[in-house]
Amino acid sequence: MILKVAIILLIVAVGLGHINPANYKPFIVPNAGEWGTYGISGVLRGAGLVFFAYIGFDAVSTAAQEARNPQKDMPIGILGSLAICTILYIVVSAILVGMVPYNELNLPAPVAYAMEKVGAPHWVRIRSTSARCSDSRP
């Protein structure tokens, strides 16, 4: 887990130097015609998807038998992990959209693509072979 957070922080640190403020304008893109494609409906759709990404956090409760004071420790553990993951999710999303226009990030490996696009060091932009084969961009 520490390695995963360290990699996320590394991506944030590298990405900070490659942010283009023009990519944030407009902040909420006008709707593309159908519900859920950009605009306010797209924001709501994205919020729903992110909400369901958090379903696995109840796994922290399986450690209740090992806690000294489960009534106090379990809510702190669950809410603390939710808060940390939410902050990391928002920061990485903001960095990615700052690096590359939003319409180029609908890929299987958006972080690797953004790192390639801005010319980040090669050791930061490594991606799996399956992601390389499935995306048509260089």
Side-chain angles (χ1 to χ4, degrees):
M1 181 166 133
I2 293 173
L3 180 62
K4 291 178 184 180
V5 174
I7 291 170
I8 290 171
L9 294 176
L10 172 71
I11 289 169
V12 168
V14 170
L16 277 174
H18 298 286
I19 290 179
N20 179 3
N23 289 340
Y24 293 122
K25 294 178 183 151
F27 191 70
I28 297 179
V29 183
N31 196 322
E34 61 184 59
W35 193 93
T37 306
Y38 309 126
I40 297 297
S41 65
V43 171
L44 294 174
R45 179 179 176 206
L49 291 172
V50 170
F51 173 77
F52 286 109
Y54 287 108
I55 287 179
F57 282 94
D58 62 337
V60 176
S61 64
T62 59
Q65 294 175 348
E66 300 173 17
R68 290 188 182 140
N69 185 359
Q71 288 186 333
K72 177 185 170 196
D73 296 341
M74 295 314 297
I76 291 172
I78 292 172
L79 294 175
S81 63
L82 279 171
I84 291 169
C85 289
T86 301
I87 290 168
L88 289 175
Y89 192 91
I90 291 169
V91 168
V92 169
S93 299
I95 298 278
L96 281 180
V97 173
M99 291 170 62
V100 179
Y102 69 92
N103 54 359
E104 295 181 26
L105 292 173
N106 191 15
L107 301 168
V111 175
Y113 174 75
M115 293 296 172
E116 286 178 14
K117 181 91 177 196
V118 299
H122 180 70
W123 53 271
V124 176
R125 54 188 165 128
I126 296 173
R127 60 181 168 164
S128 71
T129 336
S130 61
R132 237 181 246 130
C133 294
S134 64
D135 116 27
S136 60
R137 296 197 170 111

